[in-house]
Amino acid sequence: MPKLLQITAIHPDAQARLAAGYELVHAELPQLDAAWLARHGAEIEGVVTGGHLGLPAAVMTGLPRLRVIAINGVGFDKVDLALARSRGVRVTNTPDVLTDDVADLAVGLTLALLRRLPQADAYVRAGRWPAGEMPLATKLTGKRIGIFGLGRIGRAAARRFAGFTDAIAYADVTRQDVPFTWHPDPVALAAGSDVLVICAAASADTRRIIGTPVFEALGPSGVLVNVARGSIVDEPALVAALQAGRLGGAALDVFEDEPNVPAALIGMENVVVTPHIASATNETRRAMGELMIDNIDAVFAGRPIPAAVV
Ligand code: 8YV
């Protein structure tokens, strides 16, 4: 049985299937130092990781027999693809099966933020209802929605938001054949949006692309929703814009330095935070795990890989 290094938890059903077909070595990323690699590195033929973790280049280099980096997620921004390619290491991911969940959460976070659902829940639980009604919230229906990144997830989010409004626009590098207004850049998109939803893939091109000019364009009644990657947003600039009241609010599932969320964000009433749960449903995590193992099986069997990045 090939030996795999597993650095992320996967769905229990997928875990059982993985354990039946492979010898598993479990470790956490911080453990994978030079001493660990010197002891175990030569035995490892595959790595099971998450989109949020990827695999540091130093670890990849310390695994001389590595054949596959299997990501239990769609994002591959934390894997050095050029290095993998140069070493003949395949990189696989789990697209499509998580699209619905991520798009669902984009809508859920938007509603949570505008309708103040976390505060409403806390209000009832704290026994405050008998003393009076909550302050009024903000309506979603009819608002102008801007989608930054119209890939699979962005399109799925746009379809969902189309149930709330006719005013949907997007920014992406290329104009697409869709019934939504195209803007070439995120500042122009933000200027015409009440809600800016980040659905783009993380890359060197999108790193911190959502910064002060975008927040200024969104303005004090605009809000930011991020279900993509923390690295796309300039987090210190976001905190500053929210603190100064130059941006109306934010609903965030992803952060620059997970699992660390800036204390300033946690202290704000007009911010909703969730712990990177966009794909975290039983159904979807099971499907991701199955696809991830299909990918690994294909590599070791020499078959075409269902979802190969490299
Ligand atoms: C997960 C993700 O949090 O798909 C991605 O890129 O970030 C998420 O689905 C993670 O990959 C689960 O392992």
Side-chain angles (χ1 to χ4, degrees):
M1 278 193 201
K3 203 179 251 190
L4 307 182
L5 165 63
Q6 183 174 357
I7 58 175
T8 193
I10 62 173
H11 190 277
D13 294 352
Q15 186 65 49
R17 179 179 155 201
L18 191 68
Y22 300 90
E23 196 179 328
L24 301 175
V25 180
H26 295 267
E28 307 243 319
L29 262 188
Q31 287 172 254
L32 303 175
D33 56 10
W36 192 98
L37 292 167
R39 255 182 91 188
H40 308 281
E43 305 154 17
I44 304 295
E45 291 184 77
V47 171
V48 170
T49 186
H52 58 303
L53 296 173
L55 192 70
V59 178
M60 204 194 306
T61 329
L63 305 173
R65 291 179 59 207
L66 188 61
R67 293 180 61 186
V68 57
I69 299 168
I71 302 169
N72 187 50
V74 67
F76 45 81
D77 48 301
K78 294 210 165 152
V79 176
D80 185 336
L81 300 185
L83 178 62
R85 216 172 269 125
S86 75
R87 299 217 17 232
V89 174
R90 305 305 303 262
V91 179
T92 69
N93 69 344
T94 63
D96 301 319
V97 292
L98 46 62
T99 300
D100 285 335
D101 272 9
V102 182
D104 288 353
L105 191 76
V107 175
L109 280 177
T110 305
L111 281 167
L113 179 65
L114 296 185
R115 300 300 303 269
R116 298 169 55 85
L117 299 181
Q119 291 91 336
D121 179 87
Y123 194 82
V124 175
R125 287 172 197 266
R128 294 174 61 196
W129 192 5
E133 291 183 5
M134 270 187 68
L136 299 179
T138 302
K139 179 171 181 164
L140 171 58
T141 294
K143 288 287 182 296
R144 298 167 304 162
I145 307 293
I147 312 269
F148 178 64
L150 204 72
R152 286 173 290 236
I153 292 170
R155 279 192 295 274
R159 281 196 298 275
R160 283 156 173 76
F161 281 111
F164 294 88
T165 182
D166 293 332
I168 298 184
Y170 70 101
D172 204 304
V173 273
T174 51
R175 191 178 193 147
Q176 302 184 26
D177 184 20
V178 288
F180 313 124
T181 309
W182 176 67
H183 293 282
D185 70 88
V187 177
L189 177 69
S193 300
D194 302 303
V195 180
L196 181 67
V197 186
I198 310 302
C199 296
S203 69
D205 293 338
T206 57
R207 192 178 141 68
R208 290 198 166 183
I209 193 170
I210 305 298
T212 302
V214 173
F215 306 140
E216 300 286 346
L218 264 174
S221 57
V223 299
L224 176 77
V225 176
N226 191 1
V227 290
R229 278 290 184 273
S231 62
I232 298 172
V233 171
D234 182 340
E235 215 166 69
L238 172 65
V239 170
L242 288 166
Q243 277 170 337
R246 286 182 280 115
L247 177 67
L252 311 165
D253 186 50
V254 287
F255 303 88
E256 280 198 316
D257 179 30
E258 295 174 10
N260 302 307
V261 177
L265 288 178
I266 291 175
M268 288 179 200
E269 261 287 293
N270 52 346
V271 168
V272 173
V273 285
T274 51
H276 200 144
I277 55 164
S279 69
T281 66
N282 243 306
E283 296 89 335
T284 292
R285 283 290 167 86
R286 184 184 295 113
M288 288 163 65
E290 296 295 344
L291 176 53
M292 189 202 64
I293 300 170
D294 290 344
N295 287 329
I296 300 174
D297 287 351
V299 169
F300 287 103
R303 290 193 302 262
I305 301 170
V309 180
V310 166

